[in-house]
Amino acid sequence: MKDGDDQRTAAPDPSCPPWALREYAVLADGERGAVLDPRGRIVWLCAPRWHDDAVFAALIGGAGHFNVEPADPWHVWGGSYEEGTLIRTSRWVTSDCVIECREALALPARTDRLVLLRRMRVKRGEARLCLDLDPRPGFGGGRMRETRREHGVWTAGTERLRMRLAGAPEAVWRAGGGLCGEFRLREGETHDLVLELAEGRETGPLDADALWRSTEREWRRAVPDCSRLVAPRDARHAYAVLRGLTSVSGGMVAAATTSLPERANSGRNYDYRYAWLRDQCYAGLAVAAHGPHPLVDDAVRFVAERILEDGDKVRPAYTVDGLPVGGERSLRLPGYPGGTDHVGNDAGTQFQLDTFGEALQLFAAAAAHDRLTKDAERAAAVAVDAVERQWLKPDAGLWELEDRWWTHSRLSVVCGLRRMAEVLPGAAGQRCTALADTVLRETRRRCLGAHGRWRRAADDDGPEAALLVPMARGCAFGDDDGAATRAHVESRLAEDGYLYRFEHPGEPLGDAEGAFLLCGFTMALATHRAGDRTNAFRWFERTRAACGPPGLFAEEYDVRQRQLRGNLPQAFVHAMMLECAVRLADESALP
């Protein structure tokens, strides 16, 4: 905890009961994300940035929320994002009125200040809405102090974080319980709430109309036309998610949340509010497949900076401002049902060889659009040096497991070296080709079985969905090993049209973990690369269906219960969905 009182929340917030993950929506502006439940309660928000402490922590059993909802408990809910944005309109229908609430984190964003916009409007009838704002810095352990109302604006704060709320002059600040109030609106009337949380004291106007105009303008600039792609609305939504998760620093967080369990009571819940270089490369490669875009430039810049700074010791994950990720620790909160709370991530200290391979593929893709900067070119040379020194070492691999000689990691660097060889002139390109041949030769000796398919690792003959990633990128390794491997993965790891990562000895598919949505989209790409367009679409459409009503993907999907599992929205799943939408629309890409 960094702000407020040094207290811990002993029990979950009863005013914000949990929902199934598929029901939650997310607002994001690149620097932080707010999680919104279908009743109109914002139950998660870190401030001022992704990796900072939560001010609203009800999602994981802490205190802190920002609720706007109909006073009439007899209502149903729904809502949708405005296409190509993370502007969300919640909709509530009671027995005698229809209410909408338009919500967004304002753009352009600042790293030291967030502005949350909520605009209520009655579409039919007359409505009474309730406001309940209880900011609790320090993951629910602190309280805002120095509360006062001046010129209709409420202010409060701690030593680090200041709050202002415009639009609720008649609300009442309850001792120890935040603001509460009511709004009565007639048909056609609107009412704005503007919440600001900032480091230091802000004095400018909280002009809702101006903030909405700038936010709409920024979203129009951020998301391109996708009308020629497969599933154009979902493709634009993927762009919006990736933009919403990408900081002005260029770093893209893996997801907006922490501690949402991948499997109930299994201890598998992690903090994803950090920038994984591999995930960032996946996103950059997906966008580059569509065309040049600022998200490609962001990925190239952030990845290049980390490689130039850390070289051989490059970390898998960083904060969005490029700092190391702290080790895992508990907040002693109840956690989301089935999970326990964690902040920090031990993966930040692992060695993952495939990070270098994905970075080289990203730099090569940027070069194809003439977006390879001088820094990125230097970073590519550093990455090649690192691969040359490190490729024989065991690593943690794509799934961040124990250190082993994972096949996917070696094939990833072969793919990256080959792609860079096509970009770099003269001796530099020749060096990449020679190193790729060396790595592939030894990997074939250790990891290609007599049956003609790749083994999971040098000491493991099992099926492995990660091996589809190089195939999805169009990398061929000879002897028809891609077809044999793909068929083996499908025969052993597919269930009901979804794909799992690998087998867990003694447990049926689906018992140990959910289907991995990244793998399903990767299978669609690999199948398309093999020329099987029909089955590529089957994989794509089945996997694309594994989202909740807001259209957000988590990392895993419980096939039997049709439930999302893990943190959300998972950036690399949206990225791979976008790449499918691009490549499946291009019949010329078929062999």
Side-chain angles (χ1 to χ4, degrees), residues 53-347:
D53 291 2
V55 175
F56 306 140
L59 180 66
I60 60 171
H65 56 259
F66 182 13
N67 301 352
V68 175
E69 57 187 317
D72 184 354
W74 190 254
H75 66 269
V76 295
W77 62 90
S80 62
Y81 288 103
E82 296 177 17
E83 186 176 339
T85 77
L86 291 186
I87 298 171
R88 176 126 181 122
T89 299
S90 298
R91 181 181 174 90
W92 303 298
V93 179
T94 74
S95 56
D96 53 10
C97 68
V98 177
I99 311 155
E100 291 184 347
C101 186
R102 194 180 190 220
E103 296 155 310
L105 283 168
L107 294 174
R110 283 172 30 186
T111 59
D112 64 340
R113 171 182 181 251
L114 71 89
V115 178
L116 179 61
L117 306 174
R118 309 190 83 168
R119 172 168 284 177
M120 298 156 280
R121 182 167 185 262
V122 178
K123 301 284 288 185
R124 179 174 62 81
E126 296 187 4
R128 185 164 62 97
L129 294 110
C130 295
L131 161 72
D132 184 358
L133 170 61
D134 187 15
R136 296 288 192 94
F139 291 102
R143 296 184 188 277
M144 291 284 187
R145 301 190 180 98
E146 304 173 18
T147 58
R148 68 178 185 274
R149 181 178 54 198
E150 187 174 355
H151 306 301
V153 176
W154 282 97
T155 63
T158 65
E159 291 182 1
R160 183 186 180 199
L161 202 62
R162 301 294 301 178
M163 181 205 85
R164 291 195 295 166
L165 178 73
E170 303 303 321
V172 175
W173 192 282
R174 301 162 297 181
L179 276 170
C180 65
E182 285 191 358
F183 308 98
R184 292 181 179 271
L185 300 176
R186 297 187 180 90
E187 187 170 319
E189 288 185 333
T190 63
H191 186 86
D192 284 296
L193 294 172
V194 181
L195 174 67
E196 174 191 77
L197 293 168
E199 291 182 309
R201 196 177 301 273
E202 293 286 335
T203 58
L206 297 176
D207 184 333
D209 289 335
L211 289 163
W212 276 114
R213 285 194 299 269
S214 67
T215 301
E216 293 160 352
R217 181 174 61 250
E218 291 297 315
W219 279 116
R220 285 194 297 269
R221 292 174 178 172
V223 177
D225 174 52
C226 295
S227 59
R228 294 181 179 274
L229 303 186
V230 173
R233 183 184 293 272
D234 283 0
R236 297 197 77 210
H237 192 42
Y239 264 108
V241 170
L242 297 177
R243 166 61 185 86
L245 298 179
T246 302
S247 167
V248 66
S249 69
M252 179 195 75
V253 293
T257 58
T258 181
S259 304
L260 302 186
E262 297 174 0
R263 208 68 178 166
N265 304 313
S266 67
R268 288 176 45 200
N269 32 269
Y270 307 101
D271 190 350
Y272 279 11
R273 300 171 300 146
Y274 306 108
W276 266 257
L277 297 192
R278 178 197 301 108
D279 297 20
Q280 185 104 45
C281 292
Y282 286 170
L285 285 163
V287 174
H290 190 207
H293 186 276
L295 286 172
V296 178
D297 301 332
D298 289 336
V300 168
R301 172 165 53 96
F302 188 79
V303 173
E305 288 173 353
R306 305 288 76 74
I307 292 175
L308 288 174
E309 184 171 338
D310 291 340
D312 283 26
K313 298 187 182 300
V314 73
R315 301 167 183 266
Y318 296 82
T319 64
V320 291
D321 47 9
L323 297 178
V325 174
E328 291 182 8
R329 62 184 177 90
S330 174
L331 301 170
R332 302 197 300 274
L333 298 178
Y336 184 86
T340 54
D341 65 293
H342 289 287
V343 293
N345 198 301
D346 291 340

Side-chain angles (χ1 to χ4, degrees), residues 265-495:
N265 304 313
S266 67
R268 288 176 45 200
N269 32 269
Y270 307 101
D271 190 350
Y272 279 11
R273 300 171 300 146
Y274 306 108
W276 266 257
L277 297 192
R278 178 197 301 108
D279 297 20
Q280 185 104 45
C281 292
Y282 286 170
L285 285 163
V287 174
H290 190 207
H293 186 276
L295 286 172
V296 178
D297 301 332
D298 289 336
V300 168
R301 172 165 53 96
F302 188 79
V303 173
E305 288 173 353
R306 305 288 76 74
I307 292 175
L308 288 174
E309 184 171 338
D310 291 340
D312 283 26
K313 298 187 182 300
V314 73
R315 301 167 183 266
Y318 296 82
T319 64
V320 291
D321 47 9
L323 297 178
V325 174
E328 291 182 8
R329 62 184 177 90
S330 174
L331 301 170
R332 302 197 300 274
L333 298 178
Y336 184 86
T340 54
D341 65 293
H342 289 287
V343 293
N345 198 301
D346 291 340
T349 61
Q350 290 182 343
F351 168 57
Q352 297 173 15
L353 178 66
D354 67 303
T355 298
F356 293 109
E358 298 299 335
L360 291 171
Q361 292 175 64
L362 171 66
F363 296 152
H369 293 298
D370 197 26
R371 309 292 271 255
L372 186 66
T373 63
K374 291 297 183 183
D375 280 349
E377 193 169 342
R378 289 194 297 115
V382 172
V384 173
D385 289 342
V387 169
E388 191 168 48
R389 288 189 290 265
Q390 303 274 2
W391 71 271
L392 282 168
K393 288 175 51 178
D395 75 300
L398 171 58
W399 308 131
E400 301 177 344
L401 304 173
E402 70 277 6
D403 284 354
R404 292 168 69 182
W405 224 79
W406 299 107
T407 307
H408 161 263
S409 296
R410 277 78 204 161
L411 296 184
S412 175
V413 298
V414 170
C415 193
L417 289 164
R418 285 179 172 178
R419 291 286 184 260
M420 283 308 299
E422 299 167 359
V423 171
L424 297 177
Q430 293 169 9
R431 180 191 176 207
C432 286
T433 298
L435 182 56
D437 291 344
T438 299
V439 176
L440 180 58
R441 184 165 51 250
E442 182 63 13
T443 305
R444 290 176 66 84
R445 187 184 74 81
R446 297 193 192 193
C447 303
L448 186 63
H451 33 56
R453 55 176 171 78
W454 292 108
R455 309 173 73 191
R456 186 177 181 223
D459 59 350
D460 188 339
D461 199 41
E464 172 58 81
L467 295 169
L468 299 171
V469 176
M471 301 177 205
R473 301 278 178 241
C475 295
F477 305 109
D479 291 350
D480 199 31
D481 42 34
T485 301
R486 184 165 53 86
H488 184 61
V489 168
E490 183 170 359
S491 69
R492 297 275 291 274
L493 299 180
E495 181 183 84

